[in-house]
Amino acid sequence: RRLTGVIIYPKYFSLAVKPGNCPVVTIVCRMLDPPDKCEYDQQCQGTKKCCEGFCGKDCVLPEKGNGLTTSSLFSLQF
């Protein structure tokens, strides 16, 4: 089936990221597809950022920096 004439508007569109850089991860778990606890910075409370952890993405306290990380550059929610 094909839908025609249907427009989906995003709830919000944001390129904003929280300040700081994600910490460097030196240990990686062996899980093939570890579960992520977040996808974007906006999903993290306070000043925490969504960053790659040792076993999937998680909300962590950032290190100082400009905050331009690939995991949080683009946010689109429906």
Side-chain angles (χ1 to χ4, degrees):
R1 296 174 84 178
R2 184 176 174 189
L3 295 175
T4 56
V6 176
I7 300 173
I8 300 173
Y9 293 97
K11 181 177 164 186
Y12 69 86
F13 179 80
S14 172
L15 292 175
V17 295
K18 293 182 181 179
N21 293 323
C22 289
V24 175
V25 178
T26 57
I27 300 171
V28 180
C29 71
R30 292 183 159 194
M31 191 180 296
L32 291 176
D33 190 16
D36 293 330
K37 296 179 182 173
C38 60
E39 193 171 342
Y40 307 108
D41 284 355
Q42 294 86 353
Q43 295 169 317
C44 299
Q45 293 183 347
T47 59
K48 291 184 178 182
K49 294 178 65 70
C50 184
C51 299
E52 283 294 333
F54 75 95
C55 203
K57 291 182 181 179
D58 201 358
C59 293
V60 298
L61 290 172
E63 296 177 346
K64 291 184 180 181
N66 65 10
L68 299 178
T69 62
T70 56
S71 66
S72 58
L73 280 176
F74 184 77
S75 172
L76 178 63
Q77 281 193 353
F78 295 96

